[in-house]
PDB file of all heavy atoms in Angstrom:
ATOM      1  N   MET I 342      39.134 -54.752 137.251  1.00 95.00           N
ATOM      2  CA  MET I 342      40.115 -55.419 138.092  1.00 95.00           C
ATOM      3  C   MET I 342      40.736 -54.528 139.179  1.00 95.00           C
ATOM      4  O   MET I 342      40.774 -54.919 140.355  1.00 95.00           O
ATOM      5  CB  MET I 342      41.272 -56.010 137.222  1.00 95.00           C
ATOM      6  CG  MET I 342      40.843 -57.102 136.180  1.00 95.00           C
ATOM      7  SD  MET I 342      42.150 -57.659 135.141  1.00 95.00           S
ATOM      8  CE  MET I 342      41.305 -58.292 133.759  1.00 95.00           C
ATOM      9  N   TYR I 343      41.149 -53.353 138.677  1.00 95.00           N
ATOM     10  CA  TYR I 343      41.669 -52.384 139.648  1.00 95.00           C
ATOM     11  C   TYR I 343      40.579 -51.717 140.492  1.00 95.00           C
ATOM     12  O   TYR I 343      40.798 -51.465 141.690  1.00 95.00           O
ATOM     13  CB  TYR I 343      42.429 -51.291 138.956  1.00 95.00           C
ATOM     14  CG  TYR I 343      43.829 -51.688 138.498  1.00 95.00           C
ATOM     15  CD1 TYR I 343      44.268 -51.479 137.206  1.00 95.00           C
ATOM     16  CD2 TYR I 343      44.664 -52.321 139.356  1.00 95.00           C
ATOM     17  CE1 TYR I 343      45.564 -51.840 136.791  1.00 95.00           C
ATOM     18  CE2 TYR I 343      45.969 -52.672 138.942  1.00 95.00           C
ATOM     19  CZ  TYR I 343      46.416 -52.486 137.726  1.00 95.00           C
ATOM     20  OH  TYR I 343      47.655 -52.857 137.297  1.00 95.00           O
ATOM     21  N   GLY I 344      39.410 -51.508 139.973  1.00 95.00           N
ATOM     22  CA  GLY I 344      38.382 -50.869 140.695  1.00 95.00           C
ATOM     23  C   GLY I 344      37.708 -51.804 141.734  1.00 95.00           C
ATOM     24  O   GLY I 344      37.055 -51.291 142.697  1.00 95.00           O
ATOM     25  N   PHE I 345      37.882 -53.144 141.670  1.00 94.00           N
ATOM     26  CA  PHE I 345      37.326 -54.049 142.631  1.00 94.00           C
ATOM     27  C   PHE I 345      37.867 -53.773 144.041  1.00 94.00           C
ATOM     28  O   PHE I 345      37.197 -54.147 145.054  1.00 94.00           O
ATOM     29  CB  PHE I 345      37.560 -55.506 142.253  1.00 94.00           C
ATOM     30  CG  PHE I 345      36.926 -56.472 143.081  1.00 94.00           C
ATOM     31  CD1 PHE I 345      35.579 -56.814 142.851  1.00 94.00           C
ATOM     32  CD2 PHE I 345      37.610 -57.147 144.152  1.00 94.00           C
ATOM     33  CE1 PHE I 345      34.940 -57.772 143.634  1.00 94.00           C
ATOM     34  CE2 PHE I 345      36.960 -58.053 144.927  1.00 94.00           C
ATOM     35  CZ  PHE I 345      35.616 -58.415 144.720  1.00 94.00           C
ATOM     36  N   GLY I 346      38.964 -53.156 144.175  1.00 94.00           N
ATOM     37  CA  GLY I 346      39.503 -52.861 145.469  1.00 94.00           C
ATOM     38  C   GLY I 346      38.765 -51.846 146.243  1.00 94.00           C
ATOM     39  O   GLY I 346      38.851 -51.719 147.470  1.00 94.00           O
ATOM     40  N   THR I 347      37.882 -51.098 145.528  1.00 96.00           N
ATOM     41  CA  THR I 347      37.132 -49.982 146.143  1.00 96.00           C
ATOM     42  C   THR I 347      36.221 -50.471 147.306  1.00 96.00           C
ATOM     43  O   THR I 347      36.288 -49.945 148.412  1.00 96.00           O
ATOM     44  CB  THR I 347      36.324 -49.220 145.082  1.00 96.00           C
ATOM     45  OG1 THR I 347      37.269 -48.760 144.115  1.00 96.00           O
ATOM     46  CG2 THR I 347      35.523 -48.071 145.691  1.00 96.00           C
ATOM     47  N   PRO I 348      35.298 -51.439 147.058  1.00 96.00           N
ATOM     48  CA  PRO I 348      34.461 -51.853 148.134  1.00 96.00           C
ATOM     49  C   PRO I 348      35.209 -52.490 149.375  1.00 96.00           C
ATOM     50  O   PRO I 348      34.824 -52.343 150.533  1.00 96.00           O
ATOM     51  CB  PRO I 348      33.506 -52.881 147.579  1.00 96.00           C
ATOM     52  CG  PRO I 348      34.112 -53.301 146.287  1.00 96.00           C
ATOM     53  CD  PRO I 348      34.981 -52.124 145.805  1.00 96.00           C
ATOM     54  N   VAL I 349      36.323 -53.197 149.009  1.00 96.00           N
ATOM     55  CA  VAL I 349      37.097 -53.816 150.121  1.00 96.00           C
ATOM     56  C   VAL I 349      37.735 -52.663 150.942  1.00 96.00           C
ATOM     57  O   VAL I 349      37.802 -52.757 152.218  1.00 96.00           O
ATOM     58  CB  VAL I 349      38.183 -54.741 149.547  1.00 96.00           C
ATOM     59  CG1 VAL I 349      38.946 -55.393 150.698  1.00 96.00           C
ATOM     60  CG2 VAL I 349      37.512 -55.802 148.671  1.00 96.00           C
ATOM     61  N   ALA I 350      38.252 -51.661 150.276  1.00 97.00           N
ATOM     62  CA  ALA I 350      38.868 -50.522 150.999  1.00 97.00           C
ATOM     63  C   ALA I 350      37.881 -49.804 151.834  1.00 97.00           C
ATOM     64  O   ALA I 350      38.129 -49.320 152.934  1.00 97.00           O
ATOM     65  CB  ALA I 350      39.550 -49.566 149.930  1.00 97.00           C
TER      66      ALA I 350
END
Side-chain angles (χ1 to χ4, degrees):
M342 296 177 203
Y343 282 132
F345 186 82
T347 302
V349 183

